[in-house]
Amino acid sequence: MFSGPSSPHPEPRRRRRGVLVAVLLVAVVAAGAAGWFLRRSADGEPPAAAPHGAPAPSHAPTGHGAGHAPSGHARLTGKVVLLDPGHNLRNRDHTAKIARPVDVGNARKECDTTGTSTDDGYAEASYTLDVARRARELLHKEGAKVVFTQDGDRPYGPCVDERAALGNSAHADAAVSVHADGSAVGNRGFHVILPARVTAGKADTSAIVAPSRALGTQLAARFGAVTGSAPSNYLGDGTGLDVRSDLGGLNLSKVPKVFIECGNMRDPKDAAQLTDPQWRQKAARGIAEGITDFLED
């Protein structure tokens, strides 16, 4: 029985020493465990799971360039990546505004378009935003700062010239515009669109043609390997690469930039992949790893 301070029979001295030793031992063990946990976290290993019912730590992004803290082995610390989710689901509600022409250097083209969709109505704009968000999470874990052209937070667009300007103003080390194609049934596979050499009006791609090709080559290789998808059977002669001079998002870019058409939404077999969340995670990983390969070279 414990005897409190007011007890007329105080605890023997030897028992007090035993209690003190036990307390010191508990403190030493606790300090050692805390040190092990901190060393484990510092080495990049995940901490033990929280007890059942405890709230998980929040990692929600707070802005276009915000996100997870990088892992202990982050490879892209200090790098800036622009992700450009193609089109915008709300474009269909602003057809007059997205139809207005903008200067793309060697021509005038529509501000933006509504994009395509699968036969059952899954919109390209929904696909591109979902995959871009998944890729952003993966790139954040590698330490990159990721800038979006739109995150479902704009009434329409942005226009193609602004999409290029956003990458330029961010001084992006790499920029990728995410799309899915709307070609004929039987046309399958992915392709990466590279900028042609364009020097006209506001456009001058001279400095980005070579690095953009390097980016596109890495992206095509990783995307195919991760997703298991074959390069396009209707563009690029089996290389998965296509060069174009009519896209404002490429013509007006001052940073290495490519487009990736992840598959053909109008082909049933490709559409089955594009609408599968597990496949979209693979697509995001292929994009993120392709960008990482390029930036590590």
Side-chain angles (χ1 to χ4, degrees), residues 166-236:
L166 287 166
N168 298 341
S169 62
H171 303 289
D173 297 289
V176 174
S177 189
V178 182
H179 287 263
D181 209 359
S183 189
V185 174
N187 289 345
R188 297 199 60 200
F190 71 91
H191 65 279
V192 178
I193 304 174
L194 314 176
R197 189 175 187 277
V198 176
T199 52
K202 297 188 296 183
D204 185 354
T205 62
S206 302
I208 70 162
V209 167
S212 295
R213 176 170 283 274
L215 169 60
T217 301
Q218 297 277 30
L219 185 58
R222 277 292 189 172
F223 190 87
V226 173
T227 63
S229 181
S232 169
N233 63 6
Y234 60 100
L235 285 170

Side-chain angles (χ1 to χ4, degrees), residues 23-270:
V23 169
L24 288 173
L25 284 172
V26 169
V28 169
V29 171
W36 174 86
F37 182 89
L38 289 173
R39 287 193 302 273
R40 183 177 170 89
S41 296
D43 290 340
E45 297 185 37
H52 180 68
S58 173
H59 299 294
T62 57
H64 285 202
H68 295 339
S71 69
H73 304 287
R75 296 177 287 171
L76 300 183
T77 300
K79 299 295 186 181
V80 179
V81 176
L82 176 90
L83 290 180
D84 177 24
H87 311 288
N88 184 324
L89 201 57
R90 298 187 183 96
N91 279 357
R92 61 193 178 194
D93 301 322
H94 300 275
T95 52
K97 291 179 179 177
I98 67 169
R100 64 183 177 85
V102 297
D103 184 359
V104 300
N106 57 1
R108 292 182 68 80
K109 294 192 70 173
E110 301 96 329
C111 157
D112 203 5
T113 64
T114 57
T116 187
S117 67
T118 63
D119 287 342
D120 61 1
Y122 181 60
E124 180 186 0
S126 295
Y127 171 84
T128 64
L129 187 55
D130 180 69
V131 170
R133 285 172 172 168
R134 293 170 186 265
R136 174 172 59 189
E137 294 301 307
L138 297 170
L139 290 165
H140 277 155
K141 290 177 182 178
E142 294 297 343
K145 175 185 176 181
V146 182
V147 178
F148 266 34
T149 55
Q150 60 93 9
D151 197 3
D153 54 354
R154 298 184 60 132
Y156 66 92
C159 296
V160 294
D161 55 346
E162 185 181 353
R163 290 176 187 265
L166 287 166
N168 298 341
S169 62
H171 303 289
D173 297 289
V176 174
S177 189
V178 182
H179 287 263
D181 209 359
S183 189
V185 174
N187 289 345
R188 297 199 60 200
F190 71 91
H191 65 279
V192 178
I193 304 174
L194 314 176
R197 189 175 187 277
V198 176
T199 52
K202 297 188 296 183
D204 185 354
T205 62
S206 302
I208 70 162
V209 167
S212 295
R213 176 170 283 274
L215 169 60
T217 301
Q218 297 277 30
L219 185 58
R222 277 292 189 172
F223 190 87
V226 173
T227 63
S229 181
S232 169
N233 63 6
Y234 60 100
L235 285 170
D237 296 323
T239 66
L241 303 176
D242 185 37
V243 179
R244 288 176 61 173
S245 63
D246 62 323
L247 298 175
L250 297 181
N251 288 0
L252 301 175
S253 182
K254 305 298 181 187
V255 301
K257 185 173 183 181
V258 299
F259 281 42
I260 181 165
E261 299 278 0
C262 298
N264 177 16
M265 297 196 109
R266 309 305 293 180
D267 178 82
K269 293 181 180 178
D270 272 12

